[in-house]
């Protein structure tokens, strides 16, 4: 009889690629101090990674579809919850099933319930969790959280309010998110002094009036109010704990911080949460890490951290965001054999990962209707003898890719007038006929010759050989645009 696997504590200051449910189930209980999660909201929107394709017009690709449907996996989750009477989410899911029926919303809620149960198990008795959502599902999620964490451990429904463009015709502009804050026990504390903020100018002006400073505040202009607030604050040293309505942290306006990732949150928001509910050296977990705002904030504040995301694209963004240092990364292929396993077990994940091995390509995250294109990029410089700066990539994860597939990709490259293409396979293509079929001529940039079609393999990657491609723009640091689609 095989001995059961002993749960291990997670490795901190590390990134994990894959479903957070699978990773969290492997770890020891009561090992995490703070969890922040910003999962899909079931908002019925498609979120797009946007970037500027210089010389090639506006560009974007779909990052994920936040639309849930009732399917076989949802039915299996429901059956599990309904049959497990001792499961902490059993009664909540049973009630939501009676209320909602077999709908996309229930599919989403059963998905979240599985993961929230693991979050609760991983938190220490002094731990806290902040669940970031929006009004689409916040009321249903609160019912789940009440059952899993206990209604007595509910601390706040924080409203993060912000402003921005938008003039809807059938409703008021929707300009706030919900953050559900729960403790794991009465032992959980809140570091209120670590997050105190100044009183508003209006409040300080009123305090100045009460102190008889009427000569300072008699004018109503903004400059006079500001001076009043500064002088009153200097006298009173007045700072307050934020209420549960946060409107002093704006949405991303700093272009240096913006990475173009859909639903990216400002680092200041995460810094407030981390300062409030953890101490230096504590372990912070983000199970839906995206572009890594949580881990960046935790790292800057002297906390240990763990980031998980189901997208290898997101993991790559986090690695770049954390800078030039070695970060342990789990689930991402570390050698040729693990790349073969990924190609076998998760073909689409392998395609996304493989495209990102070539600097400059952004992966196509649509699984169908993409014309066989798995990645696109933009050349930094216009070729001397070609009127396009478009670069295309296609990935084949099988051990013996067909010549017909290569020919088809060459045809797509011609049809789209791309300057160069890169055909990525697991093993090098050695067939003389295939190499002859791949010949599409050359382009020239500043006197340097480049083949229009490049054959490159993951075996080459692990041997530190890159394809001979022209320099390409970084697709993630351009200004996000709202028009035009690459895919």
């Amino acid at each position: 009889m095989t001995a059961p696997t002993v749960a291990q504590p997670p490795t901190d200051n590390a990134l994990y690629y894959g479903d957070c449910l699978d990773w969290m189930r492997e770890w020891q209980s009561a090992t995490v101090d703070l969890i922040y999660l910003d999962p899909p909201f079931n908002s019925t929107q498609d979120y797009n990674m946007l970037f500027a394709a210089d010389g090639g017009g506006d560009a974007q690709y779909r990052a994920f579809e936040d639309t849930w449907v009732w399917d076989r996996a949802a039915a299996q989750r429901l059956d599990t919850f309904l049959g497990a009477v001792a499961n902490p989410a059993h009664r909540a899911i049973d009630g939501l099933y009676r209320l909602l029926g077999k709908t996309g919303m229930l599919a989403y809620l059963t998905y979240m319930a599985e993961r929230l149960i693991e979050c609760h198990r991983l938190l220490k008795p002094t731990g806290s969790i902040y669940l970031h959502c929006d009004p689409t599902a916040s009321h249903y999620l609160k019912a789940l959280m009440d059952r899993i964490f206990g209604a007595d451990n509910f601390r706040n429904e924080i409203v993060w309010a912000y402003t921005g463009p938008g003039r809807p015709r059938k409703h008021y502009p929707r300009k706030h998110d919900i953050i559900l804050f729960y403790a794991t026990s009465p032992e959980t504390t809140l570091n209120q002094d670590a997050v105190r903020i100044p009183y508003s100018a209006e409040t300080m002006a009123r305090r100045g009036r009460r102190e008889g400073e009427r000569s300072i505040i008699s004018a109503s202009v903004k400059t006079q109010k500001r001076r009043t607030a500064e002088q009153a604050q200097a006298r009173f040293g007045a700072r307050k704990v934020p209420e549960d309505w946060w409107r002093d942290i704006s949405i991303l306006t700093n272009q240096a911080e913006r990475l173009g990732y859909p639903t990216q949150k400002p680092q200041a928001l995460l810094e407030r949460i981390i300062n409030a509910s953890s101490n230096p050296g504590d372990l912070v977990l983000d199970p839906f890490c995206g572009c890594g705002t949580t881990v960046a904030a935790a790292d800057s504040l002297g906390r240990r951290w763990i980031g998980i995301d189901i997208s290898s694209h997101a993991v790559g963004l986090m690695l770049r965001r954390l800078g030039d240092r070695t970060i342990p990364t789990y689930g991402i292929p570390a050698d040729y054999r693990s790349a073969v396993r990924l190609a076998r077990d998760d073909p689409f994940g392998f395609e996304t990962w493989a495209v990102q091995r070539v600097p400059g390509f952004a992966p196509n995250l649509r699984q169908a209707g993409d014309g066989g294109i798995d990645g696109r990029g933009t050349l930094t410089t216009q070729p001397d003898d070609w009127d396009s700066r478009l670069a295309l990539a296609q990935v084949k994860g099988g051990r013996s890719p067909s010549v017909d597939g290569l020919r088809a990709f060459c045809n797509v490259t011609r049809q789209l007038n791309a300057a160069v293409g890169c055909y990525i396979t697991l093993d090098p293509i050695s067939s003389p006929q295939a190499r002859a079929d791949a010949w599409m001529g050359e382009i020239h940039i500043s006197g340097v010759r480049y083949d229009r079609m490049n054959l490159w393999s993951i075996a080459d990657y692990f041997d530190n050989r890159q394809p001979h491609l022209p320099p390409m723009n970084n697709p993630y640091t351009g200004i996000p645009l709202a028009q035009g689609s690459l895919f």
Side-chain angles (χ1 to χ4, degrees):
M1 181 177 177
T2 304
T5 302
V6 178
Q8 300 293 323
T11 300
D12 56 63
N13 296 338
L15 300 175
Y16 291 80
Y17 164 58
D19 191 329
C20 61
L21 181 64
D22 297 331
W23 284 115
M24 291 191 294
R25 282 176 170 170
E26 293 187 6
W27 298 336
Q28 284 181 354
S29 301
T31 53
V32 176
D33 297 284
L34 169 64
I35 296 177
Y36 167 87
L37 63 161
D38 181 15
F41 291 174
N42 194 32
S43 62
T44 68
Q45 297 184 48
D46 289 345
Y47 288 95
N48 297 300
M49 169 65 72
L50 305 174
F51 57 90
D54 294 340
D58 299 348
Q60 68 180 13
Y61 73 85
R62 183 172 290 108
F64 62 86
E65 296 180 358
D66 188 16
T67 303
W68 294 75
V69 297
W70 190 258
D71 56 15
R72 180 179 299 178
Q76 290 173 343
R77 291 193 299 268
L78 176 62
D79 287 345
T80 298
F81 281 114
L82 294 182
V85 295
N87 188 296
H90 164 77
R91 293 182 63 183
I93 293 297
D94 183 43
L96 290 167
Y97 171 44
R98 296 169 188 270
L99 176 67
L100 299 170
K102 296 179 179 180
T103 59
M105 180 60 76
L106 187 64
Y108 170 70
L109 294 170
T110 55
Y111 170 91
M112 288 302 303
E114 287 183 323
R115 286 147 185 82
L116 289 171
I117 289 168
E118 291 303 312
C119 288
H120 181 263
R121 183 184 64 81
L122 290 175
L123 279 171
K124 295 178 180 178
T126 54
S128 302
I129 182 169
Y130 289 74
L131 171 57
H132 196 135
C133 50
D134 75 2
T136 304
S138 60
H139 44 304
Y140 300 127
L141 288 168
K142 187 177 186 305
L144 278 179
M145 297 285 280
D146 280 348
R147 293 301 305 174
I148 295 170
F149 287 85
D152 291 344
N153 287 321
F154 171 67
R155 293 292 181 263
N156 285 102
E157 179 185 72
I158 298 167
V159 177
W160 176 43
Y162 43 81
T163 59
R167 299 179 63 183
R169 295 183 178 182
K170 296 184 178 181
H171 57 80
Y172 299 109
R174 294 165 179 163
K175 296 300 178 184
H176 79 276
D177 288 354
I178 299 296
I179 304 174
L180 299 175
F181 168 31
Y182 281 76
T184 50
S185 75
E187 299 175 44
T188 302
T189 59
L190 187 68
N191 301 322
Q192 295 187 350
D193 288 341
V195 292
R196 289 184 180 273
I197 60 175
Y199 281 99
S200 67
E202 291 77 9
T203 298
M204 296 307 299
R206 287 196 299 271
R207 295 187 70 172
R209 289 189 187 95
R210 289 197 296 268
E211 291 296 314
E213 297 290 335
R214 300 183 184 277
S215 61
I216 298 176
I217 62 173
S218 56
S220 60
V221 297
K222 290 183 178 180
T223 300
Q224 195 63 36
K225 284 187 175 181
R226 178 180 56 79
R227 290 174 180 170
T228 301
E230 289 172 352
Q231 294 183 32
Q233 186 164 324
R235 278 194 308 280
F236 305 133
R239 297 176 70 85
K240 64 173 183 175
V241 176
E243 290 102 349
D244 60 2
W245 182 276
W246 295 358
R247 55 182 177 180
D248 60 314
I249 299 176
S250 64
I251 56 175
L252 284 177
T253 56
N254 182 356
Q255 296 300 329
E257 183 180 352
R258 188 184 293 275
L259 299 175
Y261 194 82
T263 72
Q264 181 182 350
K265 302 302 185 293
Q267 187 160 324
L269 180 70
L270 273 300
E271 289 175 348
R272 174 172 295 175
I273 291 170
I274 292 168
N275 275 322
S277 292
S278 70
N279 298 305
D282 282 353
L283 180 57
V284 179
L285 166 64
D286 188 340
F288 297 86
C289 208
C291 62
T293 301
T294 302
V295 299
D299 193 66
S300 68
L301 295 173
R303 274 64 167 176
R304 297 176 297 128
W305 50 264
I306 297 170
I308 312 173
D309 204 273
I310 202 166
S311 165
S312 62
H313 155 71
V315 175
L317 275 180
M318 284 187 272
L319 288 171
R320 285 189 287 273
R321 185 173 190 174
L322 291 168
D324 186 17
R325 53 179 167 150
T326 302
I327 303 292
T329 305
Y330 299 92
I332 295 291
D335 53 30
Y336 174 78
R337 292 181 63 183
S338 57
V340 172
R341 286 196 299 271
L342 179 63
R344 179 194 64 206
D345 299 338
D346 183 7
F348 182 62
F350 171 76
E351 291 175 5
T352 303
W353 172 81
V355 162
Q356 292 183 300
R357 300 314 95 197
V358 184
F361 278 118
N364 172 17
L365 299 187
R366 289 179 60 185
Q367 293 181 270
D370 56 12
I373 300 169
D374 298 317
R376 297 203 183 197
T378 303
L379 305 188
T380 301
T381 304
Q382 180 77 40
D384 302 332
D385 46 6
W386 205 262
D387 60 358
S388 168
R389 294 163 60 190
L390 177 63
L392 301 178
Q394 187 177 87
V395 179
K396 294 297 180 184
R399 301 300 296 273
S400 301
S402 69
V403 175
D404 288 343
L406 172 58
R407 290 171 180 160
F409 180 57
C410 290
N411 287 335
V412 169
T413 303
R414 292 188 186 97
Q415 291 167 7
L416 296 180
N417 196 37
V420 294
C422 187
Y423 193 68
I424 305 172
T425 54
L426 269 172
D427 300 306
I429 294 178
S430 56
S431 163
Q433 182 60 54
R435 290 188 168 275
D437 289 340
W439 176 249
M440 294 176 56
E442 300 173 337
I443 61 169
H444 299 79
I445 298 178
S446 301
V448 180
R449 296 183 299 176
Y450 299 94
D451 290 346
R452 285 197 63 209
M453 182 55 62
N454 297 262
L455 306 181
W456 185 70
S457 71
I458 297 304
D460 292 326
Y461 168 72
F462 286 112
D463 286 336
N464 295 314
R465 292 191 295 269
Q466 286 288 341
H468 183 58
L469 291 167
M472 290 193 284
N473 290 343
N474 185 326
Y476 308 112
T477 56
I479 298 174
L481 303 174
Q483 301 293 327
S485 177
L486 283 179
F487 296 103

